[in-house]
Amino acid sequence: MTASLKSHSHGMTMVLTISNPENRNALGPDIYAAGVEALNVAENSPEVRSVVITGEGPHFCAGGNLQRLLANRQQPPEVQARSIEGLHNWIETIRVFPKPVIAAVEGSCAGAGFSLALACDMVVAAHNSLFVMAYSNVGLSPDGGASWSLMRALPRATAMQLLMCGERVDAARLHALGVITQVSAAGEALADALTLAGRLDARAPNALASIKELANDALTGSLHAQLAAERDHFVRNLHHTNAGEGITAFLEKRPAKYR
C-alpha cells in the first residue's frame, strides 16, 4: 500500500489523515507535498476554518521511514536534503497557515511525527499515547523544527533531555509541561480534536488569523515591534464586519454568527 495523505471534511474542519498504517504512518516526500497542497487550497477556502491532522489506525506517526533513510545513505547527500526540505516546507506552511491546526494523536508519535505535532497550534492526545524524540536512538539529529519548538516550549534542561535521551514520554507528562493541549481517553483524540476545532470554527476567522500571526512573531520580535503589530491588527479587526457582529451579539446576549 502506498503512503498517502487522505482528506475529508467535518463541518468546517478539514481532516488530514496520514495513511501508511503498515509502517505506523511513517512519513515520506509524497505526504509532505500533499500536506502543503492541501493547506494551500484550504487557505483560500471559506468552507474551511480549521484543520485537524491525525494518523490512520492506532498510531499517529512513527516519523521517517528507516528503510528509506537507509537506502538514501547510498545516494548523494542532496537526495536526503531535498526530502528534509519537503518536510520543512510542510512544517513552515503549517506555522504560517492563517487558520488553527490541531494534531489528534493516538499511539506512537515519534521522530518527525513528534516534530509534526509540535508544529501544530494545539495537540490533543490520548492518555496512552507515547511521544519520543527518536533521532538520537538511531544516531541522528532532529528535523521538522523539533529543536526550535521544544527549546521555546520548555526549560533548556527538559528540552535537552527529550532531544538527547530519546526516552518515551506519555501524554500526561507533556500536558503537565504545557507541550500538549488536552489529554483524551484512548480512541477519542480525533473526536475531541474535532470538538475543539468546532469551537474555533465558531469564532471570527480574521481574529484567529491575527492571533496566530501575533503569536508567531512574539517569539522573535521586540516588545516595541509586538505592541505596534497588536495595534495594527486590533484596528484592522475592529473595522471588520465580524467585530460589529461580535460586539452586537454580546450586548444582545446571543451567539455571534461570524463570516
Side-chain angles (χ1 to χ4, degrees):
M1 185 182 295
T2 303
S4 64
L5 188 70
K6 298 179 179 178
S7 175
H8 75 273
S9 296
H10 181 91
M12 301 191 81
T13 300
M14 181 175 71
V15 181
L16 299 177
T17 303
I18 304 166
S19 178
N20 187 10
E22 68 275 20
N23 292 308
R24 294 193 172 192
N25 297 322
L27 298 170
D30 290 346
I31 292 176
Y32 309 149
V36 172
E37 181 180 0
L39 292 181
N40 286 340
V41 172
E43 180 173 353
N44 298 313
S45 172
E47 304 303 316
V48 177
R49 291 198 178 180
S50 64
V51 174
V52 170
I53 300 176
T54 192
E56 183 173 338
H59 298 287
F60 179 71
C61 177
N65 186 314
L66 292 183
Q67 294 295 333
R68 184 172 58 82
L69 292 178
L70 198 61
N72 281 353
R73 281 175 44 80
Q74 311 307 314
Q75 302 295 322
E78 292 78 12
V79 172
Q80 184 60 38
R82 285 195 297 271
S83 177
I84 292 177
E85 286 168 1
L87 169 63
H88 290 178
N89 190 19
W90 190 20
I91 296 295
E92 287 192 300
T93 301
I94 291 170
R95 277 285 179 176
V96 301
F97 184 68
K99 302 174 185 182
V101 182
I102 302 169
V105 177
E106 298 277 352
S108 297
C109 183
F114 196 172
S115 300
L116 175 63
L118 289 169
C120 297
D121 300 309
M122 290 175 248
V123 181
V124 177
H127 75 87
N128 60 345
S129 57
L130 290 173
F131 296 75
V132 57
M133 278 289 135
Y135 301 95
S136 68
N137 293 338
V138 291
L140 294 172
S141 53
D143 61 2
S147 58
W148 188 93
S149 296
L150 289 177
M151 291 302 291
R152 281 161 172 76
L154 298 171
R156 177 181 172 82
T158 305
M160 294 298 280
Q161 180 186 12
L162 292 178
L163 291 165
M164 287 186 164
C165 294
E167 298 168 344
R168 294 182 178 182
V169 185
D170 62 24
R173 184 183 178 204
L174 291 180
H175 183 256
L177 290 169
V179 175
I180 66 175
T181 311
Q182 179 179 333
V183 178
S184 300
E188 295 298 319
L190 178 57
D192 287 348
L194 289 171
T195 298
L196 176 56
R199 289 167 51 198
L200 296 169
D201 293 345
R203 294 180 175 268
N206 57 295
L208 296 185
S210 285
I211 290 168
K212 184 165 180 175
E213 184 177 334
L214 288 166
N216 286 340
D217 291 346
L219 294 169
T220 56
S222 66
L223 174 60
H224 181 76
Q226 192 72 7
L227 290 171
E230 287 186 351
R231 176 200 63 212
D232 293 345
H233 278 277
F234 189 98
V235 172
R236 185 165 65 248
N237 287 319
L238 177 62
H239 289 275
H240 192 285
T241 303
N242 281 334
E245 166 63 10
I247 295 170
T248 301
F250 182 84
L251 294 174
E252 294 178 352
K253 296 181 172 56
R254 61 172 175 81
K257 296 180 180 179
Y258 295 113
R259 296 189 295 182

